[in-house]
Amino acid sequence: MFNTVDMHCDTIMKIYQSKQQGTAERLRRNTYQIDREKLEKGEYLLQNFALFMDMKETDSPYTTCKEMIQCFHEEMADNQDWISPVTTYEEILTNQKNGKISALLTMEEGAPIQGELKKLEEFYKDGVRMITLTWNYPNEIGYPNAAFFDEQSKILSVNQKGLTKQGIAVVQRMEELGMIIDVSHGSDQLVEDVLTYTNKPFVASHSNARAVCPHFRNLSDSLIKKIAERGGVIGMNYCDLFITEDGSGSLIEGLVTHIKHFRDIGGIDCIGLGSDFDGIPVTQELIDASTVSKLHQALIQAGFSTQELEKIFYGNVLRLYKEVLR
């Protein structure tokens, strides 16, 4: 038996799109990587559900995000017999006691708040408790690594921009509110700026180790150490391109290699899970949420202790949620 806490998936985006298209995909049962049966087979305690929209595919990120929030709450109402939304650590424990999976609402792409603290507070009232500050485009909050990566040379520029003046105000207000700052996708400088202008632990909800796989979406050893020293947690992303340099080989063996590296660099307390299910290509090794026990078993075979596995699969994330969420 084990419990699974996953800091990132894009399932609500897929369900929202399916409703727009008039198809019948729902959270209870669908053809995606996360639904009731898959979560229950994966022994999930909590799943973060991200509100994601590509800024180039919507005329109004704010409006699209509000519609996705409505979609999330409709799904929660339709599935209240087995899953329930949470905004605090205590609610997670209550759901566990009642035999329910917890759902934490997050936002991937800070553009919907338009750099405005009033909109940030509005989304907090809507139940959003984590914000990935940027996706792959600059926004009012800051800059992503994608903006500083040269596709031809495969070099990530060291001359970067991080948080904007508005972005500094946003992350500081997030701390005051009890919202979790998420630096996945952010530029290296953005992570440094978050470290400079905030005090509490934060996350990189779905990022791996750049020293193991040199993709700009992964974190440098220096940043891994600094996030870990702050008490932060980094969720392992199951996307093959972030695991091995050419996206080939064993996905699970690659993830074990990343997890070992994180343990060596930042310590066991900085490691969590952030699958990115329904936002990444489907692979046969970890086809959906029901197969996460394969990773658990591989880590046992790699010599990880029961205590270490508990920290990776749920303990580290819950510790941070207990400290930050309000």
Side-chain angles (χ1 to χ4, degrees):
M1 291 291 291
F2 60 95
N3 293 309
T4 303
V5 171
D6 184 346
M7 284 198 288
H8 188 79
C9 78
D10 288 306
T11 311
I12 289 297
M13 173 196 71
K14 302 267 268 193
I15 292 170
Y16 169 78
Q17 291 173 341
S18 107
K19 288 184 176 182
Q20 300 288 100
Q21 296 159 2
T23 55
E25 301 286 9
R26 295 295 183 267
L27 184 58
R28 184 175 296 272
R29 185 177 179 84
N30 59 53
T31 59
Y32 307 143
Q33 292 180 294
I34 286 178
D35 63 15
R36 178 179 184 173
E37 182 180 353
K38 292 158 193 161
L39 290 174
E40 289 179 346
K41 280 187 178 179
E43 298 187 39
Y44 276 65
L45 173 65
L46 181 147
Q47 176 65 57
N48 283 11
F49 288 94
L51 307 166
F52 169 69
M53 75 295 305
D54 187 323
M55 283 166 57
K56 293 184 177 178
E57 295 180 1
T58 176
D59 294 331
S60 172
Y62 171 80
T63 301
T64 301
C65 193
K66 295 292 280 190
E67 291 173 353
M68 292 178 77
I69 288 171
Q70 181 64 29
C71 174
F72 171 80
H73 287 304
E74 287 172 357
E75 289 298 323
M76 290 298 105
D78 289 345
N79 293 278
Q80 56 188 294
D81 54 317
W82 65 275
I83 192 168
S84 184
V86 294
T87 57
T88 66
Y89 172 75
E90 289 72 23
E91 289 172 343
I92 297 168
L93 297 185
T94 298
N95 280 344
Q96 184 179 29
K97 185 178 178 181
N98 294 333
K100 288 187 179 183
I101 296 169
S102 291
L104 189 81
L105 186 59
T106 75
M107 184 187 297
E108 183 182 26
E109 171 61 83
I113 71 170
Q114 300 172 320
E116 299 175 20
L117 298 187
K118 283 187 177 180
K119 283 194 171 67
L120 175 68
E121 292 161 3
E122 179 185 332
F123 284 117
Y124 174 86
K125 290 176 183 175
D126 287 334
V128 175
R129 287 298 183 273
M130 179 187 291
I131 297 179
T132 314
L133 302 178
T134 70
W135 189 58
N136 289 338
Y137 313 125
N139 61 27
E140 294 88 350
I141 296 172
Y143 292 79
N145 258 350
F148 304 106
F149 182 73
D150 186 291
E151 285 287 352
Q152 289 189 326
S153 66
K154 303 297 180 185
I155 293 173
L156 180 65
S157 173
V158 295
N159 299 311
Q160 298 185 348
K161 296 178 182 178
L163 290 174
T164 64
K165 186 176 179 180
Q166 291 165 286
I168 293 169
V170 165
V171 296
Q172 291 177 338
R173 183 62 179 137
M174 286 178 69
E175 278 204 331
E176 292 171 357
L177 288 168
M179 297 178 83
I180 297 163
I181 297 162
D182 179 10
V183 297
S184 281
H185 288 277
S187 68
D188 289 6
Q189 185 59 51
L190 180 142
V191 184
E192 295 282 5
D193 287 349
V194 169
L195 287 159
T196 298
Y197 292 107
T198 66
N199 299 300
K200 292 182 181 179
F202 59 90
V203 306
S205 67
H206 55 303
S207 297
N208 297 346
R210 198 177 301 164
V212 178
C213 178
H215 194 288
F216 65 83
R217 271 280 286 108
N218 289 340
L219 291 164
S220 68
D221 284 358
S222 172
L223 292 179
I224 292 168
K225 285 180 184 177
K226 290 175 181 178
I227 293 170
E229 287 167 0
R230 176 66 69 86
V233 180
I234 301 157
M236 300 297 99
N237 191 317
Y238 303 171
C239 179
D240 53 1
L241 294 177
F242 305 156
I243 295 172
T244 58
E245 194 163 352
D246 57 1
S248 65
S250 168
L251 190 76
I252 292 173
E253 287 178 15
L255 275 171
V256 171
T257 301
H258 279 268
I259 291 169
K260 285 180 176 178
H261 185 79
F262 272 98
R263 183 177 61 179
D264 291 343
I265 300 301
I268 195 67
D269 292 338
C270 78
I271 310 168
L273 303 178
S275 67
D276 210 354
F277 278 144
D278 291 320
I280 57 174
V282 176
T283 61
Q284 290 306 305
E285 276 191 272
L286 287 172
I287 195 166
D288 57 39
S290 71
T291 61
V292 72
S293 61
K294 292 182 180 179
L295 176 59
H296 191 269
Q297 189 61 40
L299 289 168
I300 291 172
Q301 292 172 349
F304 282 77
S305 69
T306 299
Q307 184 183 30
E308 287 177 319
L309 289 167
E310 288 172 350
K311 289 187 173 188
I312 293 167
F313 273 77
Y314 65 92
N316 291 334
V317 175
L318 292 185
R319 181 253 309 157
L320 185 145
Y321 285 9
K322 183 178 182 181
E323 182 172 348
V324 179
L325 290 176
R326 286 201 302 280

